[in-house]
Amino acid sequence: MIPRLHARTHSPRDPLAEALGRPLSPNEGLTEYTIVAHWPGLDYYTPDDEQRTWSSVQWAEHLEGPYLEHPFTASADDDRRAILHLDIRLHPDDRELTGPEWAETAHRFARATGIEIPGAAEHGWRWIAVQAQRGRLDLIANLIHLDGTWRTLPAHILRRLADEARRIEQDLNLIPIRTGPTARPAVRPAPTASAQLASVLTQLADEQAGPLAAVRGLVEHTSHRIARQPGAADTGTAHRLELIARRLHAIQQDLDTTAAHLVQPLIAAAAPVARHITHRSP
């Protein structure tokens, strides 16, 4: 797990587009499968589950709020770049984390950066965690507090992030990042026909950016919209759409499993690297 802290910016729009892997859209509703965590105060800020169907443009506007409401707030060195962007990437061979595991990881890094303080749920700094690309989590925050004060990042922030990454790796049984002279990049063979077909299936099954994910997102968004309409008939339609979304998700999982089976024989058949043995003359 490698955390990377980006240079701060004036707007959350570019960081959010990078996190999503696509341009922002006013029409695409982002569900809890993509926005896996957020500042606890959002539950007080919006009623019910309204925030879970915001578009990417609306999420960006939400993060911009304190920046626009407090136009004179700046850091100690008069810097107005208030948008913090942190991305966390898993080891390429790591398992895919579940939604709750991504959420836990997001909150732990938010606390490590100092933008989430336990016990201050209804106040604080606005932040969201985006899980839209395989093996990657993006945390985007506004360093301007709701009361107009600036959040100065803790000293040795990079060390704090690295230490938290090591703890999360241990707690979630993830592959640790190897460091030092013994670390060597993995040698990957040329892709075979099975590997190429597996790659196609993996792209189709991609939980966030694949074509089935886009269809599922639209179905879920439609279900949420219909559920808000009055009438028992609308409630039944919303439920049927939820079932369709679940079936689509099951298809994605089946495709992902099939892709893994395609490449598994190649891994099992890979011969170990031969050791070079030097024979000494008697």
Side-chain angles (χ1 to χ4, degrees), residues 232-250:
D234 291 331
T235 302
T237 301
H239 180 65
R240 285 194 294 273
L241 288 174
E242 289 179 1
L243 294 178
I244 292 172
R246 291 178 187 176
R247 290 200 295 271
L248 286 170
H249 185 242

Side-chain angles (χ1 to χ4, degrees), residues 40 110-111 114-121 123 125 151:
R111 290 192 289 270
I115 59 172
E116 179 175 297
I117 299 176
H123 303 292
W125 298 267
R151 176 57 176 172

Side-chain angles (χ1 to χ4, degrees), residues 35 77 82 87 106 115-117 120 127-128 134 143 157 163 166 171 173 178 188 198 228 234 237 257 266 273:
I35 306 297
D77 55 356
D87 77 67
I115 59 172
E116 179 175 297
I117 299 176
W127 64 268
I128 63 172
R134 190 176 184 86
L143 296 180
I157 180 65
D163 290 344
R166 302 293 82 77
D171 293 344
N173 195 28
R178 297 176 60 188
R188 298 187 178 183
R228 295 178 181 177
D234 291 331
T237 301
T257 301
L266 301 176
V273 178

Side-chain angles (χ1 to χ4, degrees), residues 11 13 23 55 71 73 99 152 160 164 203-204 213 216 229 258 268:
S11 170
R13 295 174 183 267
S55 70
T73 299
T152 300
R160 288 170 61 108
E164 189 61 35
Q203 292 176 30
L204 290 173
R216 197 182 87 209
Q229 304 299 320
T258 303

Side-chain angles (χ1 to χ4, degrees), residues 222-235 238:
T222 303
S223 173
H224 286 300
R225 293 287 299 273
I226 291 178
R228 295 178 181 177
Q229 304 299 320
D234 291 331
T235 302

